């Protein structure tokens, strides 16, 4: 599939058939449906869409699911999208939400576009009965990324699933809290605009996915990194209940999925307003709403952007909601990668041209974890057990932030429904597209994000998997697909993912055949030294 850009976002069709079909639609009840005999022409509750056919199926790109949060709607809760007349073209991705430039392919320049609340739908050809649906929430630290970062058309075809990818507001645009904004919020707690966007997209799916052959009763929300964190947040949100039947959390349990407390978020919001040039609290909100997006973006660096607990959206911290039983009681597939920390350690040291040295290693641990915990980590992660000081430091980061957090989340979730545990452990995996060149000199192993390319085309690019890795990729697609279809994660001839209610602590390790193949392991907690990190607690981390 070609990687379409943002040209012709509201294209109109000139064909007589389309015009007649659209005119007829205005005279009939406005329920979602597909036009007979033309699978690329679909009617939603807001109007007609024309998508396109590809070698993998059908796709509909850049569909608005809410009113665009521009002008007076900046920092407002999402509102239902307005209807349009005629047929709207759906063959180009919508705008990316406001964000800085990054090292990811296609992100060489910042985005200052606020009209970005769009989603994309990928539909396999074949049988017409309603198919299960996966809604993908992208990663990027809640400050970057877009729904277009994965192209799941082959996944949709292989699993018989309708896949939806979603844009949502990011950074300050998505998570600014303030006393003035609290007054406008329906629950009097501001700072959750990006998360509420996700729920608006899920409501759009519930209303319209039948037009595309999807089953509104079988929706799985899924995401990696900040997308996985979004999923574990939505699991704990009472206002999301009923919008999905299952969740997939990939490397998203970092920081135990903790949200900001309201007081903390308000303090950060006031500091942000001052940095952005709006120090007077009485006029700060009006001042900020007049600021160009570029100035808001420039001021947001250095702040923690994420959901806020304390209101109707998130009454309690996710971890507490899991344990007290108030979280959604739906099946969950949850896991992490065996070498998560290598991406972050590379960015901190080797990627800056300053590889961590043996002499610097103890100090790096002390600065990160404090004197007492740093000393314990030094004993548990001796340099003799790692290829380099950077790799040793990376192991501490990955274990603390991701591996042990995922296992803790498994234990918490097991009290309220099925939870299936996995670990992606292909240490020969090629670095994902953004770090492919760096991977020629640095061993990333099974680092953060690396599993995504085994499931989808990452950034629309084919991954250079070898024959063994392609087999593992097919198996992973089967595991994910069987879960989305409503069963336990399974792959042909492979062990099923273990349910933590009956096999606590057992994890499905995903590996190539030469590394031993997929197996059920009880050693993951020990390998990641979770006795250290669970006892000391894990601090929230900024993940991608």
């Amino acid at each position: 599939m070609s990687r379409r850009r943002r040209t012709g976002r509201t294209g109109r069709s000139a064909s007589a058939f389309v015009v007649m079909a659209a005119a007829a639609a205005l005279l009939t009840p406005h329920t979602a449906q597909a036009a007979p005999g033309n699978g690329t022409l679909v009617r939603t509750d807001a109007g007609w869409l024309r998508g396109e056919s590809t070698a993998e199926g059908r796709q509909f790109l850049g569909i608005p699911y809410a009113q665009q949060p521009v002008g007076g709607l900046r920092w407002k809760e999402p509102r239902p999208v307005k209807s349009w007349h005629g047929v709207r073209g759906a063959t180009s991705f919508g705008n990316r939400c406001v964000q800085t430039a990054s090292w990811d392919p296609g992100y060489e320049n910042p985005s200052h576009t606020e009209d970005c609340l769009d989603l994309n739908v990928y539909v396999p050809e074949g049988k017409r009965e309603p198919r299960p649906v996966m809604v993908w929430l992208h990663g990027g630290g809640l400050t970057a990324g877009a729904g277009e970062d994965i192209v799941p058309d082959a996944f949709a075809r292989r699993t018989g699933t309708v896949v939806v990818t979603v844009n949502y507001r990011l950074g300050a645009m998505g998570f600014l809290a303030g006393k003035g904004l609290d007054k406008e919020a329906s629950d009097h707690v501001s700072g959750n605009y990006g998360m509420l966007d996700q729920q608006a997209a899920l409501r759009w799916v519930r209303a319209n996915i039948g037009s595309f052959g999807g089953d509104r009763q079988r929706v799985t929300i899924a995401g990696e990194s900040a997308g996985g964190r979004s999923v574990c947040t939505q699991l704990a949100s009472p206002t999301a209940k009923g919008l999905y039947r299952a969740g997939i959390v990939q490397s998203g349990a970092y920081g135990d999925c903790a949200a900001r407390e309201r007081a903390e978020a308000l303090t950060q919001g006031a500091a942000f307003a001052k940095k952005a040039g709006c120090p007077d609290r009485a006029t700060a909100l009006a001042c900020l709403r007049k600021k160009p997006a570029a100035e808001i973006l420039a001021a947001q660096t250095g702040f923690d952007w994420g959901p806020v607990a304390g209101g109707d959206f998130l009454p309690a911290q996710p971890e507490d909601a899991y344990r007290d039983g108030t979280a959604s009681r739906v099946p969950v597939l949850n896991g992490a990668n065996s070498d998560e920390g290598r991406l972050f350690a590379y960015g901190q040291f080797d990627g800056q041209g300053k590889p961590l040295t043996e002499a610097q290693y103890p100090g790096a641990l002390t600065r990160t974890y404090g004197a007492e915990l740093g000393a314990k980590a030094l004993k548990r992660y001796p340099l003799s057990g790692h290829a380099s000081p950077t790799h040793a430091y990376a192991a501490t980061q990955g274990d603390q932030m991701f591996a042990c957090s995922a296992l803790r989340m498994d234990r918490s979730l097991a009290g309220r429904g099925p939870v299936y545990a996995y670990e992606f452990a292909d240490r020969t995996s090629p670095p994902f597209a953004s770090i492919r060149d760096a991977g020629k000199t640095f061993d990333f192993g099974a680092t953060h994000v690396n599993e995504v390319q085994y499931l989808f085309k990452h950034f629309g690019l084919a991954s250079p998997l070898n024959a063994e890795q392609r087999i593992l990729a097919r198996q992973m697609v089967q595991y994910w697909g069987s879960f989305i279809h409503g069963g336990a994660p399974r792959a042909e001839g492979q062990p099923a993912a273990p349910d933590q209610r009956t096999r606590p602590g057992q994890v499905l390790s995903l590996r190539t055949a030469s590394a031993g193949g997929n197996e059920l392991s009880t050693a993951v907690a020990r390998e990641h030294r979770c006795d250290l990190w669970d006892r000391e607690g894990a601090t929230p981390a900024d993940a991608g």
Side-chain angles (χ1 to χ4, degrees):
M1 187 208 89
S2 61
R3 188 168 167 80
R4 300 301 183 97
R5 286 299 176 194
R6 285 161 291 284
T7 57
R9 291 191 56 190
T10 57
R12 303 287 194 265
S13 171
S15 73
F17 171 77
V18 171
V19 172
M20 291 173 63
L26 298 177
L27 303 177
T28 58
H30 208 83
T31 54
Q33 57 184 313
N38 190 335
T40 61
L41 184 64
V42 169
R43 186 182 179 187
T44 70
D45 59 2
W48 288 89
L49 295 168
R50 178 179 285 283
E52 63 183 343
S53 294
T54 72
E56 299 288 1
R58 293 176 291 151
Q59 61 185 26
F60 303 82
L61 309 179
I63 305 169
Y65 64 83
Q67 291 184 43
Q68 299 303 341
V70 299
L73 295 184
R74 180 190 280 183
W75 294 309
K76 294 281 191 178
E77 295 169 11
R79 301 181 180 182
V81 66
K82 292 183 177 180
S83 300
W84 58 83
H85 297 291
V87 177
R88 184 186 182 98
T91 58
S92 301
F93 290 119
N95 292 324
R96 296 167 178 162
C97 294
V98 175
Q99 60 190 281
T100 62
S102 77
W103 60 2
D104 292 330
Y107 284 84
E108 293 79 14
N109 298 306
S111 173
H112 300 140
T113 48
E114 296 180 67
D115 56 332
C116 61
L117 298 189
D118 300 317
L119 53 76
N120 314 297
V121 182
Y122 299 84
V123 184
E125 297 293 357
K127 61 182 181 179
R128 295 299 179 182
E129 61 263 29
R131 300 174 183 270
V133 180
M134 183 184 77
V135 177
W136 180 262
L137 306 174
H138 68 80
L142 300 179
T143 60
E148 66 184 273
D149 291 351
I150 66 161
V151 177
D153 51 359
F155 179 92
R157 173 181 57 79
R158 292 168 181 162
T159 61
T161 301
V162 176
V163 181
V164 180
T165 66
V166 178
N167 289 358
Y168 54 91
R169 281 174 282 182
L170 304 166
M173 292 299 189
F175 300 98
L176 179 65
K179 290 187 177 180
L181 291 171
D182 278 358
K183 294 178 182 178
E184 297 180 355
S186 60
D187 62 354
H188 306 296
V189 175
S190 57
N192 288 311
Y193 308 104
M195 294 290 155
L196 294 174
D197 291 344
Q198 295 172 5
Q199 291 188 4
L202 290 170
R203 288 192 293 273
W204 184 96
V205 168
R206 175 165 286 272
N208 293 288
I209 205 63
S211 301
F212 304 87
D215 185 346
R216 57 181 283 179
Q217 302 298 331
R218 292 192 292 164
V219 174
T220 297
I221 52 174
E224 184 272 338
S225 194
R229 179 186 180 183
S230 296
V231 173
C232 69
T233 301
Q234 299 294 356
L235 290 173
S237 172
T239 55
K241 286 185 177 180
L243 296 176
Y244 56 88
R245 60 148 295 277
I248 300 175
V249 180
Q250 297 175 214
S251 304
Y254 59 91
D256 295 315
C257 204
R260 295 178 293 165
E261 293 294 343
R262 183 185 182 191
E264 172 193 7
L266 291 175
T267 298
Q268 291 175 350
F272 167 80
K274 183 177 180 180
K275 183 179 178 183
C278 302
D280 185 348
R281 295 194 178 190
T283 60
L285 180 55
C287 174
L288 288 171
R289 282 200 167 121
K290 293 177 182 177
K291 292 284 184 182
E295 292 186 27
I296 298 296
L297 184 61
Q300 77 176 30
T301 303
F303 293 94
D304 174 28
W305 302 109
V308 180
D312 294 343
F313 165 75
L314 196 63
Q317 289 289 350
E319 186 178 28
D320 294 334
Y322 304 152
R323 289 196 170 127
D324 67 20
T326 58
S328 294
R329 295 179 176 272
V330 300
V332 174
L333 173 61
N334 176 47
N337 299 351
S338 60
D339 302 308
E340 295 271 7
R342 292 191 189 181
L343 175 65
F344 303 101
Y346 171 82
Q348 186 174 350
F349 299 112
D350 297 52
Q352 302 294 325
K354 301 177 181 179
L356 189 64
T357 66
E358 181 176 350
Q360 294 168 335
Y361 178 58
L365 294 178
T366 298
R367 285 191 300 273
T368 302
Y369 305 114
E372 183 178 354
L373 183 54
K376 293 178 180 178
L378 183 62
K379 292 181 180 179
R380 299 294 296 275
Y381 295 82
L383 290 177
S384 59
H386 302 274
S388 71
T390 299
H391 279 82
Y393 179 83
T396 71
Q397 290 277 278
D399 292 355
Q400 183 218 30
M401 290 195 298
F402 295 98
C404 300
S405 293
L407 294 173
R408 285 197 302 273
M409 184 175 172
D410 289 340
R411 294 193 293 271
S412 297
L413 288 170
R416 33 118 323 268
V419 54
Y420 303 97
Y422 79 88
E423 180 177 71
F424 175 76
D426 179 13
R427 289 193 157 120
T428 70
S429 59
F432 65 94
S434 306
I435 55 172
R436 200 150 290 158
D437 289 340
K440 296 174 183 177
T441 57
F442 186 88
D443 179 11
F444 286 97
T447 197
H448 193 63
V449 189
N450 252 24
E451 88 287 3
V452 175
Q453 62 189 322
Y454 284 62
L455 297 166
F456 320 110
K457 290 192 282 288
H458 201 198
F459 302 110
L461 304 172
S463 179
L465 303 180
N466 63 29
E468 276 198 339
Q469 290 162 347
R470 287 195 296 273
I471 292 172
L472 176 58
R474 287 195 294 271
Q475 292 166 347
M476 289 175 61
V477 167
Q478 289 178 22
Y479 278 118
W480 266 241
S482 61
F483 178 74
I484 292 167
H485 274 260
R490 298 181 183 277
E492 185 177 358
Q494 302 299 309
D499 187 340
Q500 299 304 289
R501 296 175 302 173
T502 56
R503 298 180 179 180
Q506 196 171 78
V507 175
L508 173 66
S509 181
L510 298 166
R511 302 182 302 189
T512 56
S514 61
N518 303 320
E519 68 172 9
L520 300 181
S521 173
T522 58
V524 173
R526 183 176 69 253
E527 291 169 352
H528 294 287
R529 301 161 178 85
C530 292
D531 62 315
L532 171 65
W533 304 116
D534 289 349
R535 182 172 64 249
E536 300 294 342
T539 56
D542 180 17

